[in-house]
Amino acid sequence: MTTPAPLHLAVALDGTGWHPASWRTENARPHALLTAPYWQDLITEAEHGLLDFVTIEDGLGLQSSHLTDPDDRTDQVRGRLDAVLVAARIAPRTRHIGIVPTAITTHTEPFHLSKALATLDYVSTGRAGVRVQISAKPHEAAHFGRRKIDPLPDGDYNSPAGQEAVRGLFDEAADYVEAVRRLWDSWEDDAEIRDVATGRFVDRDKLHYVDFEGEHFSVKGPSITPRPPQGQPIVTALGHASIPYRLIARSADVGYVTPHDADQARAVLAEIRAEQAAAGRADDTLHVFGDLVVFLDDEPGAARARRERLDALAGEPYTSDARIFAGTPAELADLLQELQAPGLTGFRLRPAVVADDLPAITRSLVPELQRRAAFRTSYEADTLRGLLGLPRPASRYATASA
Amino acid sequence: MSKPLKQIHLAAHFPGVNNTTVWSDPSAGSHIEFSSFVEFAQIAERAKFDFLFLAEGLRLREQGGKIYDLDVVGRPDTFTVLAALAAVTDRLGLTGTINSTFNEPYEVARQFASLDHLSAGRAAWNVVTSWDAFTGENFRRGGFLPQEERYSRAKEFLATAHELFDSWHGDEILADQETGHFLREAKAGAFEHRGQHFDIQGQFNVPRSPQGRPVIFQAGDSEEGREFAASSADAIFSRHATLKEGQAFYRDVKDRLVRYGRDRDQLLILPAATFVLGDTEAEAQETAREVRRLQVSGATALKHLEFVWNRDLSSYDPDGPLPDVEPDLGEHTVARGRAQVRMYRDPLAIVREWREKAEANNWSIRDLVIETGNRQSFVGTPETVAAEIDELVQADASDGFILVPHITPGGLAPFADKVVPLLQERGVFRTEYAGTTLRDHLGIHHPDAESRNERVAS
C-alpha cells in the first residue's frame, strides 16, 4: 500500500458545536459563548493539534433551524459575535494556525471587508483567510432595508429552482471576491518608500485604482490598507451544487464540499475541476476539502451513544448537509483516507460538540493520522499560504509599472 | 471653600494620516504593523490612560488628481485593530472612528456590540459623517448625500444603533442545561425602525454587551455637530485646546445638555493636543521648532495653501511671499479626501487674513503654514506641561486631552513616563484603574441602569 499524501485539516467552529443540543453537554460552557476566553481556548486547542486553520461561522440574523427563515425556537443557541472581530481578537495569541472568519457578501461592502481581512493578516502575521457566503434570507435583507430578497421557490437552496433563484447572489459573490482581491493587489509590496530626500512617503506609481465595475456595485480603490503579508489572504467557500461549485472554481483557494462517499467526491471534484479549467485557472492550486460532522470517541460505540443522547435531548435526529460521522478516531482516519483517494486534499471537520469533539480531533485523530504518515508532525510554515502550499501571489498590477 | 480637584481624562491617538506624523525621524516605526499598535497601546495602558483612539479613512487623499504622497499614506482597519488590541491589553478603552454614511446600522451595531463583548466592556465609537461622492466611489451606495442631510442620517443612524443595542436587555439568555431553555423568549432582540433614512426590522443577533451600549464619541465643531453631541454623545472631541477658546466651547456645549434633559457631567469635552517635552523650557521650544520644520516641508506648505486657493500653486517658492493670485471659488477639486478642506469655508476671508499676517511678520509661505497650522499644544518641561494641563482642566477649558505624539509608536512614552507621574502627584490623575470598563474610567453611567429601572417601573 502506498503512503497517501499528507492531508490538510481544518475545523469549523460554531457556538458550542454543530449538534443543536451540544450546548446541553456537561463541558459546553454555553454562558461563555460571547466571551473572548472561550474562543481563545478553542483556537489554542486547534493549534495544539497542528491544524491548518479554523473557520468561524457567522450570519446577519439569529441562528435558525430553518434554512432561510427564523424559527422562534428557544431551545437552541441563539446570538453570536461578528466573526471577523472574533478572529482578530484571537489572532495575537496564536502563532501558526490559520484563521478564517465567515463574511456575508450579500449585504456588506467589499471595500470594508478587504481592509478588515488585510488587517487580520497583519495582526496574525500572515494567517488570515475568509469564507465567503451569500444570504438568500428575506429576514436578513430586512435587517438592512436596502434590497428585497424573495423567499426561495421550494424553501431549498439546493433544488434547481432554488439554485436558479440564488444565481445572482453567487454572481455577486464572485464579483465581490474579485473586487476584494484587486484591492489587496492595489498596493504593490514596496509602495511605501519613506524617501526623505524627496519628502515622499509612498511611490504613488505603485498604488493602483482597481476600477471594479460589477452589476451590483463598483469600487474605485486603491485600498486604504497596504498589501497584506500574504499578498492575498486565502478565500474559501462552501458548495453543494453547480452554481456554488462555479464560485469555488472561479474565486476560491479552498472549497468545501459535502460528499457522502468516495464516488460522490469523485463526481463533485470532476465538476469543480472542469469549471476551474473553464475559468482559466487550471494551473492554480485549488484545494477541495470534504466537510464532515464528527462525533469522536476512543471507546467503540461511545460516539454513537453520545449522538443518540443528544438527539434525544433535541427531540429529533440531527441531520446535516454534510455526512455525519460517529465512531473512533481510527475509523474516522480510515474514512478520511477513503474519501481522500478521489482527490480531496483535506477536510474541514465540524465538531458536533466542540467541548468533546475538538479535543478528540486534536488529541486522538491527529496522532492516528500522524502514525499513518498522513498528517504533519510540526508546523512547517508561518503563514496560512505556506501551510496550504499556496505561493504568495505577485500583485497583478506590479508588472504594469515594472 | 475651594471646589474639589477635577480628575483629568487622558487618551492616546495613534498618529496616522496627517502631517503631524514625522515619519522621517529615524525612531519612527511602522504605522501598519500590528507590533506598533501593541507597543503604543501598552504604553497608554501602563500610564493608566482612559482609552486609545484610532481615526479612519475610506479613500486615499488626492491633490491635483494624484494620490497625496508627502504624509503617511494608508492605515489598517479600525475594528480589526481594536479587537486584536483587546487581546494584548486589559483595561484600556478602545475607541474607533466609524463613518455613518458608508455603513448600515445593523452591521455597525453588531460590530461594536461584538467589540464590547470581546474586550469585556471597553468599546467606544466615534461617530463621524461624510457626504462626498469622492469617498463614495468605494462603496455600494456610491457618493452622495446632500450635505445638509449628513447630520440627519448620522442622528438617525445612531438612534437606530441604540435601538439595536437596547433590543436585548441582558436577561434573555438562560442557557439552562437541565430544562433545555436557552432563550427566555423567542423574540429576543426584536426591533422595528421606520424612519427617513432607515426602514428596517427583525431581530438583532448580538446579545447585550458588557457596557450595554458602547461609549459614544462625536467630533465636530459646527453648530450641528455641537448639537448632535449634546443630544447623543458621551464625549466630544474638540479642537479648542487653549484656555479662552476652550472655556468658551466648554460652556457652550455643556449649556446645550440641559435642553436634552442631561446633566453637565454626562458629556466629557476632550480636545486633541500634541506635546513636545524638553529638559529645559528653551530646549523644548527648540525641539518644537525643529518638529514643525519636519512636519511642514516646502512642498507640504504649498500643498496646504492649495486647500484654500483651490488651484495649482506648485510654481510658487515656499520660501517666498504668498501667491498673488486669488483663490478659485468654484467647486473644490484640487484637494480631495481632506478634512481640512471643509474647515476653510470662506477662502477669500482666509486669504485676506493670511496675507495681512504674512506681511506684518515678514513670513514666507512655509513660515505662514508653520505659524498658523496645527501647533504643539503643550511645549515645555514635564513640570510646566503637567501644570498647564492641570490648570486648563481645573479652569473648565476641557475635561482632559487626547494626546497625539508626532512619532509612531514610541512617541507617547516620554509623556507616560514623565508627565503622568506629576499629574498623579497633583492628585488629578488615577494611579490605578478603579474599574474595568471604559464607562468606569470616564465616570459615565451605564445605560443598563436606566433601562433596567424603566423596565422595573413599567
Side-chain angles (χ1 to χ4, degrees), chain A residues 71-253:
Chain A
D71 65 1
D72 285 348
R73 291 179 78 141
T74 57
D75 64 335
Q76 299 178 358
V77 169
R78 294 292 181 263
R80 63 170 137 214
L81 305 178
D82 180 273
V84 174
L85 292 187
V86 172
R89 174 63 181 77
I90 61 183
R93 294 201 190 168
T94 53
R95 290 182 52 114
H96 298 285
I97 192 166
I99 307 173
V100 181
T102 295
I104 311 298
T105 56
T106 308
H107 300 294
T108 62
E109 296 281 358
F111 190 86
H112 286 318
L113 186 73
S114 161
K115 66 186 161 66
L117 290 171
T119 304
L120 181 63
D121 212 37
Y122 279 103
V123 307
S124 66
T125 55
R127 296 180 287 125
V130 65
R131 178 268 181 109
V132 291
Q133 188 176 25
I134 64 152
S135 167
K137 302 173 181 180
H139 71 282
E140 290 189 356
H143 292 162
F144 288 79
R146 282 207 299 210
R147 66 202 284 182
K148 194 168 174 302
I149 303 272
D150 291 322
L152 291 178
D154 308 323
D156 179 4
Y157 284 112
N158 299 322
S159 66
Q163 286 292 300
E164 193 48 47
V166 297
R167 179 188 294 275
L169 297 175
F170 277 100
D171 286 344
E172 181 183 22
D175 279 355
Y176 193 110
V177 173
E178 173 66 14
V180 165
R181 287 191 187 274
R182 285 195 204 177
L183 287 165
W184 288 333
D185 281 349
S186 66
W187 288 60
E188 293 183 38
D189 291 317
D190 51 357
E192 183 179 314
I193 52 172
R194 296 197 186 218
D195 185 28
V196 176
T198 60
R200 291 178 307 145
F201 182 80
V202 289
D203 178 352
R204 63 162 73 101
D205 292 335
K206 291 175 186 286
L207 300 178
H208 304 274
Y209 297 102
V210 304
D211 286 321
F212 182 85
E213 296 277 351
E215 193 184 337
H216 293 276
F217 57 85
S218 59
V219 178
K220 179 76 185 169
S223 177
I224 195 87
T225 306
R227 197 154 192 266
Q230 294 185 100
Q232 297 194 6
I234 68 150
V235 175
T236 75
L238 170 68
H240 304 99
S242 298
I243 290 171
Y245 294 157
R246 193 171 310 137
L247 175 69
I248 289 168
R250 283 156 73 187
S251 305
D253 301 299

Side-chain angles (χ1 to χ4, degrees), chain B residues 247-413:
Chain B
Q247 284 175 325
F249 182 81
Y250 195 94
R251 259 195 315 276
D252 177 79
V253 174
K254 296 257 177 175
D255 286 349
R256 292 172 194 248
L257 288 167
V258 187
R259 273 184 252 165
Y260 298 96
R262 306 177 70 198
D263 295 335
R264 293 176 74 86
D265 59 3
Q266 282 184 267
L267 179 73
L268 298 178
I269 296 181
L270 303 173
T274 55
F275 60 89
V276 172
L277 301 175
D279 289 338
T280 65
E281 201 65 33
E283 186 197 309
Q285 292 294 344
E286 179 53 34
T287 307
R289 263 190 299 277
E290 284 168 21
V291 169
R292 287 304 286 159
R293 301 289 288 179
L294 290 170
Q295 288 168 327
V296 184
S297 67
T300 296
L302 286 176
K303 297 290 185 197
H304 194 88
L305 254 56
E306 289 181 356
F307 304 159
V308 179
W309 262 266
N310 190 28
R311 52 168 86 229
D312 178 8
L313 301 176
S314 56
S315 60
Y316 286 84
D317 175 6
D319 296 317
L322 266 57
D324 43 13
V325 293
E326 291 307 306
D328 181 346
L329 299 179
E331 189 198 349
H332 203 108
T333 55
V334 168
R336 306 175 78 181
R338 287 264 186 187
Q340 292 99 316
V341 171
R342 299 198 285 275
M343 285 156 51
Y344 301 128
R345 284 186 178 165
D346 185 354
L348 287 176
I350 300 274
V351 167
R352 198 179 320 121
E353 182 194 325
W354 282 0
R355 281 184 176 143
E356 282 165 13
K357 277 187 176 168
E359 203 157 320
N361 296 290
N362 196 26
W363 285 341
S364 67
I365 288 174
R366 191 175 176 197
D367 294 335
L368 174 96
V369 173
I370 287 174
E371 295 296 332
T372 61
N374 295 332
R375 304 293 298 272
Q376 278 85 15
S377 304
F378 301 113
V379 177
T381 65
E383 289 75 16
T384 58
V385 166
E388 191 182 355
I389 287 175
D390 189 16
E391 281 153 23
L392 286 167
V393 171
Q394 303 310 331
D396 285 345
S398 80
D399 294 310
F401 293 93
I402 299 171
L403 297 163
V404 199
H406 58 268
I407 304 285
T408 315
L412 189 65

Side-chain angles (χ1 to χ4, degrees), chain A residues 266-350:
Chain A
R266 191 170 292 109
V268 169
L269 278 160
E271 192 172 350
I272 291 177
R273 295 302 175 202
E275 288 284 0
Q276 186 185 351
R281 293 184 69 206
D283 295 337
D284 293 357
T285 301
L286 167 59
H287 285 289
V288 181
F289 283 17
D291 260 24
L292 295 169
V293 178
V294 296
F295 293 83
L296 279 179
D297 202 297
D298 291 332
E299 201 66 42
R304 260 184 298 278
R306 195 151 53 84
R307 177 182 177 180
E308 282 159 19
R309 275 201 303 280
L310 284 177
D311 283 355
L313 278 175
E316 60 202 343
Y318 172 53
T319 59
S320 172
D321 55 322
R323 175 165 171 171
I324 302 169
F325 172 86
T328 66
E331 289 166 348
L332 181 58
D334 288 344
L335 175 63
L336 298 186
Q337 291 186 317
E338 183 188 321
L339 289 172
Q340 184 189 9
L344 295 177
T345 51
F347 295 90
R348 186 178 73 147
L349 304 179
R350 308 182 190 172

